[in-house]
Amino acid sequence: MGTSTCDMMVVPKNEMNGKLVKGICGQVDGSIVPGMLGLEAGQSAFGDIYAWFKNVLMWPSIELLKNSSSIDEATKSKLIKEIDDAVIAKLSEEAEKIPIGESGIVALDWMNGRRTPDANQALKGAILGLNLGSDAPRIFKSLVEATCFGSKKIVDRFIEEGIPIHKVVALGGVAKKSPFVMQVMADVLNMPIKIAKSEQTPALGAAMLAAVASGVYPDVETAKNAMGSGFDAEYYPIPENVEKYNPLYEKYAAFGSFIE
């Protein structure tokens, strides 16, 4: 979970029964863990959507600061960096206080097209329900919800195709840095989410595979148990939030069908 997302799933071959999941990016035997089927999906934009919104908000301030004659260049640079570092955290803090569904704003996360389910790179993002009371935290909250709804669309596709999901593990910049986003994700998916402790999880996974290939460990499971770094956080769905997000998700899905 970073600028975009990559959703990777491993499934025992005997549980697939020859199924081919429609609308995802790939399904390959042994592509992630030997002896299991690897399935891949993902979103074309995730953290990039938050960054886009931050840049929209900051543009006037940065331009005015750059051209200001009231402060020196060093102070300008320092102020711009301070604002840049603080915007997303402040938006998250304020968005968290807003009751779910209160604003009436619903966004689509297709700012960079749609990767899965059912790839369509011609699609664009959209925001529904704006009015003169739609401030920055409320719009930001709708964008966070949209990215989480996009993830739920992927989860729903696997479940619709008869593939159960028993555990969700998140890694990457957003998973590490944003408790707000991860709590919304847990509430929207209605699933607990564990956050991998390692700062370099893909590299650690590659090292595990190398350890098996070189004979240090007999199989991936043994290597995982010996080399795995575990988890440093877990987010649990809040039942009342789950109930509130269900109708909002349906609105997101209907809005997406209309736009498409």
Side-chain angles (χ1 to χ4, degrees), residues 1 5 56 58 78-79 93 98 136 140-141 176 198 211-212:
M1 299 175 68
T5 66
V56 169
M58 287 185 61
K78 185 177 179 182
L79 279 172
E93 179 187 334
I98 300 167
F140 179 72
K141 187 179 182 78
K176 285 287 205 181
S198 173
V212 174

Side-chain angles (χ1 to χ4, degrees), residues 85-251:
D85 290 344
V87 168
I88 295 295
K90 185 61 177 175
L91 285 169
S92 297
E93 179 187 334
E94 295 302 316
E96 197 168 10
K97 300 173 185 175
I98 300 167
I100 296 166
E102 177 258 17
S103 70
I105 305 171
V106 178
L108 285 177
D109 56 313
W110 300 338
M111 307 295 192
N112 200 29
R114 184 178 65 209
R115 187 178 176 211
T116 46
D118 306 315
N120 185 344
Q121 296 307 320
L123 292 173
K124 307 295 181 186
I127 303 177
L128 170 72
L130 295 174
N131 59 44
L132 294 179
S134 303
D135 57 14
R138 284 169 171 77
I139 297 171
F140 179 72
K141 187 179 182 78
S142 76
L143 295 173
V144 170
E145 291 168 343
T147 53
C148 295
F149 290 154
S151 184
K152 180 170 169 58
K153 273 284 185 185
I154 294 170
V155 167
D156 285 356
R157 174 57 58 88
F158 283 123
I159 293 171
E160 288 162 7
E161 294 285 297
I163 312 300
I165 296 175
H166 300 302
K167 182 167 65 174
V168 179
V169 176
L171 53 130
V174 175
K176 285 287 205 181
K177 295 174 185 176
S178 181
F180 170 61
V181 173
M182 295 316 303
Q183 186 59 56
V184 174
M185 182 69 83
D187 293 338
V188 167
L189 296 185
N190 193 19
M191 295 179 182
I193 303 173
K194 292 184 175 182
I195 311 300
K197 183 180 290 185
S198 173
E199 295 287 346
Q200 301 291 340
T201 311
L204 179 58
M208 291 177 188
L209 295 175
V212 174
S214 61
V216 175
Y217 297 107
D219 52 48
V220 172
E221 188 68 20
T222 306
K224 182 191 77 172
N225 292 335
M227 300 171 66
S229 60
F231 309 98
D232 59 9
E234 186 165 4
Y235 295 88
Y236 297 92
I238 300 168
E240 55 265 38
N241 290 355
V242 173
E243 290 299 315
K244 291 174 184 175
Y245 273 128
N246 286 335
L248 206 56
Y249 175 67
E250 294 303 321
K251 195 172 183 179

Side-chain angles (χ1 to χ4, degrees), residues 5-27:
T5 66
C6 183
D7 295 44
M8 295 184 290
M9 189 178 196
V10 287
V11 185
K13 285 188 281 188
N14 62 347
E15 290 186 15
M16 289 297 291
N17 298 318
K19 294 173 187 168
L20 186 63
V21 179
K22 65 181 180 181
I24 63 171
C25 298
Q27 180 173 324

